[in-house]
Every structure is written in structure tokens, then in C-alpha cells.
């Protein structure tokens, strides 16, 4: 049975139930009778190409779907890639010669478990080659970017090192041959979420899991040869690194963080660093319900991010898009979605400064769930309600070379009752006048009796180390 595309076309007013605002945008869905979801979009000379996963075709349990659409968003070609087992589409890159590289996750690979697969296509969708990357265990690809004539593949690998999982970057040449590789996060488990190339550097973001089960987000800047130029850890209780974008202003990292009073509630955080790794600003987006950040992009002096929300939409899940000025000031926001569930995965700013948000839709689908594509008009995101977008510990950040047994640091920040150390050490706590207020040798620090404020925590063991912490009651 052939894959049949069903298209739902809407130009509609999308609304938020919290306030009576209206936003005109063009919405399209593409897919078959079963479950389909888009993960990434690129712009081409003829229009756009979406990549994602389809269960509507019969090659296997699921397959990679590449959907070609014209500038007016009408579909004109779709390509299904995959074998007898399960594949999922993850990312797409266009080379300078017009050829396409499609990244997928496959259970049909030669190494065992899940592997990464890269398909090279002509501009009109003819397959040139396919290459596989992985180990005997699970290897889960997350993104693919091009830079300096090479291709950088980001993945989480469960088949390397002594950890359960590691963040891995693979470099390949134009023929798909391995040209370099690096693993991170020893001795802690790590998962990679996103990568981006900008101005000769590779930026990555992911999550590490400490021995006590707590998660920290981590952002890195790498050279083209995969040397770490700097690492920044977003410390707290259950903070997950999700998305990163490079820009003329530095690197913007997007995190989900658990509410300190409710670990089942997640909100969004944006953190901006300059090219040297110095903190520019940190902002929290704290609202009722859950917000899970999916993608960031830059348009001039504005950073835009897309997040999944379960509180602002008209129905179940919706896509919220927020514009922030390069200095961290909130500009505007809008929610897109119907009366069921609609979730974003990726946001693209095209050559006309339109925003394209792709993901999955149950509200507008012709089948069970379809590719979902929203295009705003002329850079327009307007709303008449204000989001709670606030500074968070704007003078605090953690900048240690790499998280390893030689370094210790404390969390959460801010803390109200107790600081937890990542390992046993001989520590001393100072106020900002340099006065020693507490010393000890332990993995925990009781701060319940200290006054609210900023402190410096020092490790008196070798190698020496210090961190700014915040006590807030």
C-alpha cells in the first residue's frame, strides 16, 4: 500500500483562553491515516522541507518522512525512508550544492540497538547514499548541523565509556566518512538535546545526571576541532538543557526547570552568554501549568523561542512563541493551537522574517496525528497579555572546565535550607565582605540559619575551587 498524503489547510484566528487576543497565521498539516510528526524545517530555493516521523507508511513500525512544500506551503512531494523496523526523522541540512542530508534514528542499523542514519539526497529527493553511526547499544541522534565544510552529528550514546549514557559529537566529511568524535560527561551520565553552529564554533546543550539522581543542564562552546572552549552548568533541582542558538550576541541556551515546590511542574529559562562564556542575562518564564521549551532562533536583535504549554492553549497542549530582545527584555508572545493537542518541535526564521513552527497536531489532522506547520506573517507576534518573564539570579553562574571528580560544586541555587555538594570535601563559606561564616567537611551544608544573601563557597582541598551561592529564605 502506498503512502498517501492528506492535507488539512487552514488560515485562521488562533486564540488564547486566558485573554481575548487574536493572531492571524497560516496553518498546514501534512500526513496520512496514522501518526505523523514533524521535527525540523529548512528553507530551500523552492519553498521548505520538513523532516519527521510517519506511521502511515508500511515500510516498518515507523519511517522517516521528508515533506517538500512550495513557498505557498502547498505540498508537492514526499519521500519515505526506512526499513522493516522503526525509524524516526530528527533533522535536515542543506549543503551549498543544494543536496540534502537527513538525520534519522533507526533500529535497522548494522551495530545493534538504535543507531544514527544519515541519508544524502539530491535537491529533488533522489537518494545518493546512506551511512550509519553507532555502537552495539543504543545511540540516539538529536541534531545535525553544517560548518566549515564538515557535518556535525550530535547524539546520546549508551554504548561508550563507563557511564549509562554520554553526550557524543561526531564529525563527518561530505562523503559521510567519519572525521572526528568526542564524548563528554564522564564520570556522570549525560544526554544531549541540541547543537548549533555559528561563526566557527559549535554550541551544544544537554543534561547531566549526578550520583544522587539530580539533573543539571549544561551548555558548551566547542571549536571546529571539538576542543572545549568553555562549559556552563545550570545548577538547581532537576534542570534540563533543551535548545541552543548562536547569534551575533553570543549563545542562547534554553532550559526546563522544575518548580522548587512541585517537581512535576516545569517552566522555561533562557540564559545568554557572550562568546567568551561570560553571563549576559538569565530569565525565567514562570507561569501556571507546564511549559517545555523546544526550540530557539534569532531574527536580527530578537531571540524567539517555541515552547509546549498545557495552560495557554484553547484545548489541550498548545505552542507558545515568545519574542525577547537581545538584552533580555520581553517583547511579545502568542499561542497557536486548536481544541485538542498541538505541540511544537522547531522554529525557523525564513528569508522574509516569517516564523515557521513545526511539530505535531491532533486538532487539525486528517489522520490520528499529522505534521503541523504554522507560518506567521511578516515577523508578527502580538498579544495583549503580559508574560511573567523575570530576572533570575542574574549575577550567578557556574563556570568550571568540565564536571569531573576533581571539581566540586553546590546546588540548588538559590538554597533555603541546605546546599548539596557533588562530592565530599573540606569547604568554607564566606560572606561578600570576606568573613568566614561556616566551615566543614561533608557533602551537605546546612544554611537554614544564615541570612539571605550572596556567599562565596570555597573548597580548601586540592585543586582549589570556589563558587558563588545564594541563600534565600
Amino acid at each position: 500500500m502506498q503512502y498517501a498524503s492528506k492535507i488539512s489547510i487552514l488560515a485562521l484566528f488562533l486564540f488564547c483562553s486566558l485573554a481575548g487576543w487574536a493572531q492571524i497565521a497560516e496553518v498546514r498539516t501534512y500526513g496520512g491515516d496514522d501518526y505523523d510528526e514533524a521535527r525540523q524545517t529548512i528553507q530551500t530555493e523552492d519553498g521548505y522541507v520538513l523532516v519527521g516521523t510517519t506511521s502511515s507508511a508500511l515500510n516498518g513500525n515507523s519511517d522517516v518522512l521528508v515533506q517538500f512544500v512550495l513557498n505557498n506551503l502547498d505540498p508537492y512531494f514526499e519521500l519515505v525512508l526506512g526499513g522493516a523496523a522503526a525509524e524516526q526523522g530528527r533533522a535536515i541540512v542543506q549543503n551549498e550544492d543544494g543536496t540534502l542530508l537527513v538525520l534519522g534514528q533507526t533500529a535497522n542499523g548494522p551495530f545493534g540497538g538504535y543507531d544514527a542514519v544519515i541519508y544524502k539526497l539530491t535537491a529533488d529527493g533522489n537518494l545518493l547514499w546512506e551511512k550509519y553511526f553507532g555502537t552495539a547499544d543504543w545511540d540516539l541522534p538529536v541534531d545535525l548541523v553544517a560548518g566549515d565544510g564538515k557535518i556535525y552529528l550530535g547524539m546520546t550514546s549508551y554504548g561508550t565509556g563507563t557511564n549509562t549514557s554520554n553526550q557524543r559529537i561526531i564529525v563527518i566529511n561530505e562523503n559521510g566518512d567519519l572525521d572526528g568524535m568526542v564524548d563528554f560527561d564522564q564520570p556522570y551520565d549525560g544526554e544531549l538535546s541540541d547543537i548549533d553552529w555559528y561563526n566557527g564554533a559549535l554550541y551544544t546543550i544537554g543534561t547531566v545526571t549526578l550520583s544522587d539522581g539530580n539533573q543539571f543542564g549544561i551548555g558548551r562552546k566547542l571549536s571546529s576541532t571539538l576542543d572545549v572552549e568553555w562549559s556552563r552548568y545550570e545548577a538547581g533541582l532537576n534542570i534540563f538543557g533543551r535548545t541552543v542558538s548562536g547569534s551575533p550576541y553570543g549563545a542562547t541556551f534554553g532550559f526546563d526547570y522544575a518548580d522548587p515546590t512541585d517537581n512535576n511542574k516545569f517552566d522555561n529559562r533562557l540564559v545568554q552568554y557572550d562568546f567568551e562564556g561570560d553571563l549576559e542575562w538569565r530569565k525565567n518564564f514562570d507561569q501556571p501549568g507546564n511549559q517545555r521549551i523546544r526550540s530557539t532562533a534569532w531574527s536580527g536583535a530578537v531571540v524567539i523561542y517555541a515552547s509546549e504549554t498545557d495552560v495557554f492553549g484553547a484545548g489541550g497542549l498548545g505552542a507558545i512563541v515568545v519574542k525577547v530582545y537581545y538584552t533580555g527584555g520581553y517583547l511579545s508572545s502568542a499561542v497557536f493551537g486548536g481544541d485538542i493537542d498541538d505541540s511544537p518541535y522547531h522554529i525557523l526564521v525564513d528569508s522574509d522574517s516569517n516564523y515557521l513552527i513545526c511539530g505535531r497536531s491532533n486538532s487539525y489532522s486528517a489522520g490520528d496525528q499529522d505534521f503541523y506547520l504554522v507560518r506567521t506573517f511578516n515577523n508578527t507576534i502580538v498579544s495583549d497579555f503580559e508574560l511573567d518573564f523575570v530576572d533570575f539570579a542574574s549575577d550567578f553562574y557556574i563556570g568550571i572546565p568540565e564536571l569531573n571528580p576533581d571539581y566540586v560544586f553546590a546546588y540548588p541555587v538559590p538554597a533555603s535550607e541546605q546546599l548539596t555538594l557533588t562530592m565530599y570535601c573540606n569547604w568554607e563559606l564566606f560572606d561578600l565582605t570576606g568573613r568566614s561564616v561556616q566551615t566543614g567537611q561533608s557533602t551537605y551544608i546546612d544554611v537554614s540559619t544564615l541570612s539571605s544573601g550572596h556567599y562565596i563557597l570555597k573548597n580548601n582541598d586540592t585543586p582549589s575551587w570556589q563558587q558563588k551561592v545564594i541563600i534565600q529564605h
Side-chain angles (χ1 to χ4, degrees), residues 303-321:
V303 60
I304 310 100
Y305 77 86
S307 184
E308 179 185 272
T309 177
D310 65 1
V311 68
F312 290 110
L317 298 175
I320 186 166
V321 179

Side-chain angles (χ1 to χ4, degrees), residues 90-216:
R90 290 291 182 253
I92 184 168
V93 170
Q94 185 170 42
N95 296 314
E96 291 183 0
D97 62 2
T99 56
L100 303 172
L101 296 175
V102 175
L103 174 64
Q105 175 180 300
T106 179
N108 287 306
F111 302 109
Y114 284 104
D115 298 317
V117 56
I118 298 177
Y119 303 96
K120 186 172 184 178
L121 311 175
T122 63
D124 54 1
N126 293 314
L127 180 64
L128 296 174
W129 51 253
E130 60 187 78
K131 298 290 181 74
Y132 296 86
F133 304 89
T135 65
D137 212 317
W138 282 20
D139 301 277
L140 309 181
V142 298
D143 202 5
L144 195 70
V145 297
D148 281 359
K150 298 178 181 180
I151 301 297
Y152 296 85
L153 163 62
M155 66 167 62
T156 299
S157 178
Y158 289 80
T160 60
T162 58
N163 298 334
T164 302
S165 60
N166 286 299
Q167 298 181 17
R168 168 174 282 193
I169 302 294
I170 292 176
V171 186
I172 64 174
N173 62 25
E174 61 182 8
N175 297 317
D177 300 321
L178 185 67
D179 196 36
M181 182 171 61
V182 65
D183 288 319
F184 298 109
D185 297 329
Q186 292 85 1
Y188 299 104
D189 293 342
E191 295 183 358
L192 192 68
S193 298
D194 194 21
I195 62 176
D196 192 34
W197 177 269
Y198 184 80
N199 196 27
L202 183 70
Y203 296 92
T204 74
I205 190 169
T207 304
V208 295
T209 301
L210 304 184
S211 56
D212 64 357
N214 188 36
Q215 286 94 9
F216 290 170

Side-chain angles (χ1 to χ4, degrees), residues 216-295:
F216 290 170
I218 176 172
R220 292 187 178 95
K221 180 182 180 180
L222 309 180
S223 69
S224 59
T225 56
L226 302 184
D227 296 317
V228 178
E229 296 191 8
W230 47 259
S231 301
R232 297 295 180 263
Y233 293 86
E234 196 68 16
L237 293 175
N238 296 325
I239 298 180
F240 300 88
R242 298 301 191 196
T243 176
V244 61
S245 290
S247 77
Y249 306 97
T252 306
F253 297 93
F255 300 88
D256 291 334
Y257 69 95
D259 189 307
T261 63
D262 182 1
N263 283 337
N264 294 316
K265 178 185 180 302
F266 284 86
D267 291 299
N268 301 151
R269 178 178 298 167
L270 287 186
V271 183
Q272 177 78 14
Y273 292 99
D274 66 15
F275 294 116
E276 303 304 318
D278 293 326
L279 180 70
E280 296 284 342
W281 48 263
R282 174 184 279 107
K283 299 284 186 175
N284 276 359
F285 169 53
D286 186 3
Q287 296 296 323
N290 284 287
Q291 335 296 325
R292 296 185 181 270
I293 196 166
R294 300 296 194 189
S295 182

Side-chain angles (χ1 to χ4, degrees), residues 199-440:
N199 196 27
L202 183 70
Y203 296 92
T204 74
I205 190 169
T207 304
V208 295
T209 301
L210 304 184
S211 56
D212 64 357
N214 188 36
Q215 286 94 9
F216 290 170
I218 176 172
R220 292 187 178 95
K221 180 182 180 180
L222 309 180
S223 69
S224 59
T225 56
L226 302 184
D227 296 317
V228 178
E229 296 191 8
W230 47 259
S231 301
R232 297 295 180 263
Y233 293 86
E234 196 68 16
L237 293 175
N238 296 325
I239 298 180
F240 300 88
R242 298 301 191 196
T243 176
V244 61
S245 290
S247 77
Y249 306 97
T252 306
F253 297 93
F255 300 88
D256 291 334
Y257 69 95
D259 189 307
T261 63
D262 182 1
N263 283 337
N264 294 316
K265 178 185 180 302
F266 284 86
D267 291 299
N268 301 151
R269 178 178 298 167
L270 287 186
V271 183
Q272 177 78 14
Y273 292 99
D274 66 15
F275 294 116
E276 303 304 318
D278 293 326
L279 180 70
E280 296 284 342
W281 48 263
R282 174 184 279 107
K283 299 284 186 175
N284 276 359
F285 169 53
D286 186 3
Q287 296 296 323
N290 284 287
Q291 335 296 325
R292 296 185 181 270
I293 196 166
R294 300 296 194 189
S295 182
T296 51
W298 278 84
S299 177
V302 174
V303 60
I304 310 100
Y305 77 86
S307 184
E308 179 185 272
T309 177
D310 65 1
V311 68
F312 290 110
L317 298 175
I320 186 166
V321 179
V322 181
K323 293 175 62 175
V324 181
Y325 197 49
Y326 79 98
T327 56
Y330 167 79
L331 293 175
S332 60
S333 56
V335 177
F336 303 93
D339 56 1
I340 309 179
D341 286 335
D342 306 282
S343 297
Y345 281 111
H346 183 251
I347 186 165
L348 167 74
V349 181
D350 72 9
S351 58
D352 294 322
S353 296
N354 298 316
Y355 303 154
L356 288 98
I357 305 101
C358 75
R360 59 182 175 87
S361 175
N362 298 103
S363 300
Y364 308 122
S365 60
D368 291 322
Q369 176 181 286
D370 283 343
F371 274 33
Y372 181 44
L373 184 64
V374 178
R375 180 168 64 181
T376 69
F377 300 131
N378 300 320
N379 203 359
T380 302
I381 293 289
V382 296
S383 61
D384 62 7
F385 66 95
E386 193 77 10
L387 298 179
D388 184 14
F389 202 64
V390 297
D391 284 315
F392 173 76
S394 58
D395 61 348
F396 168 79
Y397 68 96
I398 294 171
I400 58 178
E402 279 297 319
L403 194 59
N404 62 54
D406 292 333
Y407 291 89
V408 187
F409 76 106
Y411 64 92
V413 177
S416 59
E417 299 294 328
Q418 178 178 276
L419 283 166
T420 299
L421 304 176
T422 54
M423 67 176 291
Y424 184 92
C425 72
N426 177 16
W427 54 266
E428 190 167 3
L429 196 62
F430 298 84
D431 64 20
L432 294 187
T433 69
R435 181 176 61 93
S436 177
V437 296
Q438 201 169 329
T439 62

